[in-house]
Amino acid sequence: MRRFYKQTLCIPQNLLLTNQDLHHGLLESEMLFTLDFVCLVGAALRVRARRLTLKQYLEFQHVLVELREGQQALVDRALSQLGAKRQVALTLPFFVPAIFAVAQTDLILTVPRKLAKITAVMAGVRVVEAPREIKSFPYFMAWHPRLTNEPAHKWFREQLRSAVLAA
């Protein structure tokens, strides 16, 4: 299975590949699911709204989960397209410690909705909808076209589909 894992990528669209890679035949691809973001706010942050406006979002101090040096790519890419940037007060390398770090503070953390559903109650944080400008994004699996009809690779792609449906 290790061989096929290395030959199949599971990626958010545009994170590692360009639309040209996916749409010009360089790789075969299939969308697996979409993720959207929500904000987790600590007990010391008084937010009454169910959804933050972009202006409110940018006024708060943020915890950044650094997936790439200096940015949480999908959130910060969306903000940079608007000419906006978050105020980062704390940077951590992983989501779970960041969620617990927010709990008793006035900081805000932007996370995928599925992660928030699993951890928010346990961590004692409140979930608030992210600004509409921070869009959901699709996750794709991508592979080289020569592997499309290869039986073991077809089996592996089906395992990925099944795992996504079960989640």
Side-chain angles (χ1 to χ4, degrees):
M1 178 134 60
R2 176 178 285 157
R3 182 179 118 207
F4 299 112
Y5 176 76
K6 289 180 180 177
Q7 295 175 352
T8 303
L9 301 170
C10 292
I11 54 171
Q13 184 180 21
N14 292 332
L15 185 60
L16 298 174
L17 304 173
T18 67
N19 281 337
Q20 290 177 337
D21 292 333
L22 295 177
H23 299 295
H24 286 52
L26 297 177
L27 294 173
E28 296 289 328
S29 66
E30 179 182 327
M31 188 177 78
L32 293 171
F33 57 90
T34 60
L35 283 180
D36 64 326
F37 289 104
V38 295
C39 298
L40 299 179
V41 297
L45 189 62
R46 302 287 180 229
V47 176
R48 293 191 181 115
R50 288 186 184 178
R51 177 181 297 277
L52 295 172
T53 65
L54 182 59
K55 183 180 180 210
Q56 291 169 321
Y57 183 80
L58 295 173
E59 288 172 354
F60 294 126
Q61 293 286 313
H62 291 258
V63 174
L64 172 70
V65 175
E66 191 173 57
L67 301 175
R68 284 187 172 178
E69 188 175 327
Q71 64 176 331
Q72 183 181 356
L74 297 166
V75 171
D76 291 309
R77 188 173 293 168
L79 293 173
S80 70
Q81 290 173 350
L82 300 168
K85 187 172 180 165
R86 297 185 282 178
Q87 300 175 54
V88 177
L90 175 64
T91 301
L92 293 169
F94 304 107
F95 277 107
V96 173
I99 293 167
F100 283 94
V102 166
Q104 299 302 316
T105 70
D106 61 351
L107 300 175
I108 186 170
L109 173 65
T110 308
V111 300
R113 182 180 303 274
K114 286 185 178 189
L115 181 59
K117 284 182 181 179
I118 295 167
T119 59
V121 172
M122 172 182 11
V125 294
R126 205 171 118 229
V127 178
V128 179
E129 295 294 321
R132 294 185 197 290
E133 292 84 354
I134 300 175
K135 307 287 185 200
S136 63
F137 61 95
Y139 258 83
F140 287 82
M141 66 174 158
W143 63 94
H144 193 279
R146 76 173 180 271
L147 299 170
T148 298
N149 294 314
E150 203 277 323
H153 203 272
K154 285 172 83 170
W155 172 86
F156 182 71
R157 293 192 309 271
E158 185 55 42
Q159 299 308 303
L160 286 175
R161 289 183 202 103
S162 295
V164 167
L165 290 174

